[in-house]
């Protein structure tokens, strides 16, 4: 209730000197959140059905809701002041009633509510912002992945056995496989788990991202689309756009040098450039060289064709034909 100011009254000293009373200062109070002002203009009451804590801030009288809902709608916090023995006392049933009035129906923890309320009657400081309702956040699905059963990377070189040196010519850049060998197994994506907020609304989960491996030649795929198997013996070729194939014919666009390393191929090889000094090419089929051969070693199960010249250094053999 607000009490209006009264008019000032004059006084006097014992000698009869008049003392003028100070003018009263009006107190401005307005109705804030959850508060109504009655017709008499003096009485402030809590809005009907409202339960909370009275507060006066910057000339506004309001009743603060003891419940606070998180922005993501996955938690509800209960604020409890220490009981002073006056006014309406919060009970578990009353808090549940307030939750239902807010439309909160999922994840209500009565035990947590009771524990907070018990703390409000102790001598401990007030308990604030305690979670009493909690929803379930959606769980994103697992991404699909491809587990390769054969090597798909190129090494920079190979350590020479028994030494601490690296032979940069042996790069193991080509992977040979046998017929029927498993090349890769796909692990499919998982759909994820839906969540639910405190209002009972379903929160759809985002599925995992799929990953595709496309066979381009001589690769069999199982009925479930998860296992990739070589249909022939040969070389595995994995393209950047996740395409995989097995081929008998391998092509080197350029020279055989430190960029390619030595080549060991189950099949034939077509080299458009030169085979540089100190490098080896071993193929079970034909070897075709569009350029020439420096001081290098070539071994073939078929024929060797060299369009350019063959340059030897006088050390060992420049060409071996098996």
């Amino acid at each position: 209730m607000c009490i209006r100011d009264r008019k000032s009254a004059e006084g006097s000293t014992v000698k009869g000197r008049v003392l003028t009373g100070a003018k009263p200062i009006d107190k401005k109070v307005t109705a804030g959140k959850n508060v109504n002002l009655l017709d008499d203009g003096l009485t402030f009451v809590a809005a009907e059905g409202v339960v909370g804590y009275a507060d006066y801030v910057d000339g506004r009288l309001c009743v603060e809701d003891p419940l606070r809902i998180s922005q993501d709608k996955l938690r509800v916090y209960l604020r409890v002041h220490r009981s002073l023995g006056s006014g309406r006392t919060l009970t578990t049933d009353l808090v549940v009633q307030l939750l239902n009035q807010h439309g909160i129906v999922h994840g209500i923890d009565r035990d947590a509510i009771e524990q907070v309320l018990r703390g409000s009657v102790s001598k401990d400081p007030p308990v604030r912002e305690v979670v009493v309702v909690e929803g379930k956040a959606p769980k994103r699905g697992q991404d699909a992945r491809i587990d390769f059963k054969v090597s798909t990377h190129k090494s920079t070189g190979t350590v020479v056995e028994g030494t601490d040196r690296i032979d940069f010519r042996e790069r193991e850049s080509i992977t040979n496989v046998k017929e029927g060998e498993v090349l890769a197994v796909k692990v499919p994506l998982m759909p994820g788990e839906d969540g639910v907020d405190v209002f009972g609304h379903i929160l759809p989960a985002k599925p995992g991202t799929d990953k595709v491996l496309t066979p381009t030649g001589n690769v069999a795929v199982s009925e479930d689309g998860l296992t990739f198997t070589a249909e022939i013996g040969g070389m595995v070729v994995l393209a950047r756009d996740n395409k995989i194939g097995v081929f008998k014919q391998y092509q080197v666009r350029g020279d055989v040098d430190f960029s390619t390393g030595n080549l060991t191929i189950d099949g034939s090889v077509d080299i458009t450039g030169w085979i540089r000094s100190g490098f080896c090419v071993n193929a079970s089929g034909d070897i075709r060289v569009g350029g020439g051969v420096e001081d290098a070693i070539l071994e073939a199960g078929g024929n060797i064709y060299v369009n350019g010249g063959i340059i030897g250094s006088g050390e060992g053999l420049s060409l071996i034909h098996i």
Side-chain angles (χ1 to χ4, degrees), residues 53-198:
Y53 301 107
D55 199 3
Y56 177 76
V57 180
D58 296 332
R60 294 178 67 85
L61 188 62
C62 58
V63 177
E64 294 294 337
D65 194 331
L67 301 176
R68 183 177 71 83
I69 303 170
S70 64
Q71 189 172 2
D72 59 9
K73 301 178 183 179
L74 289 176
R75 288 169 298 280
V76 178
Y77 299 86
L78 173 63
R79 182 177 61 180
V80 179
H81 290 268
R82 184 187 304 165
S83 177
L84 299 178
S86 62
R88 191 175 183 183
T89 302
L90 285 176
T91 64
T92 300
D93 288 340
L94 180 56
V95 172
V96 172
Q97 180 182 339
L98 291 174
L99 291 169
N100 291 335
Q101 288 177 358
H102 283 75
I104 298 165
V105 295
H106 177 81
I108 298 175
D109 188 344
R110 293 183 68 94
D111 291 338
I113 297 172
E114 292 175 0
Q115 184 175 355
V116 174
L117 295 181
R118 284 197 300 268
S120 68
V121 298
S122 68
K123 296 181 180 180
D124 297 331
V127 181
R128 294 181 181 272
E129 302 292 303
V130 177
V131 177
V132 294
V133 182
E134 191 162 11
K136 176 184 176 184
K139 184 178 180 181
R140 186 183 181 279
Q142 182 179 352
D143 293 341
R145 71 176 190 273
I146 305 295
D147 289 343
F148 289 98
K149 303 303 181 182
V150 295
S151 176
T152 59
H153 70 281
K154 297 180 180 180
S155 62
T156 57
T158 303
V159 176
V160 179
E161 186 176 356
T163 72
D164 57 358
R165 294 185 298 107
I166 296 178
D167 185 351
F168 291 100
R169 293 181 176 86
E170 293 294 342
R171 299 193 58 184
E172 299 178 353
S173 58
I174 295 176
T175 300
N176 296 299
V177 295
K178 298 179 180 179
E179 180 182 350
E181 186 172 346
V182 175
L183 306 175
V185 175
K186 177 179 177 179
V187 179
L189 62 84
M190 300 296 290
E193 298 179 10
D194 290 343
V196 56
D197 66 18
V198 296

Side-chain angles (χ1 to χ4, degrees), residues 293-296 310-315 318:
V293 178
E294 293 182 350
D295 185 20
I310 299 174
I311 303 174
S313 65
E315 299 179 2
S318 296

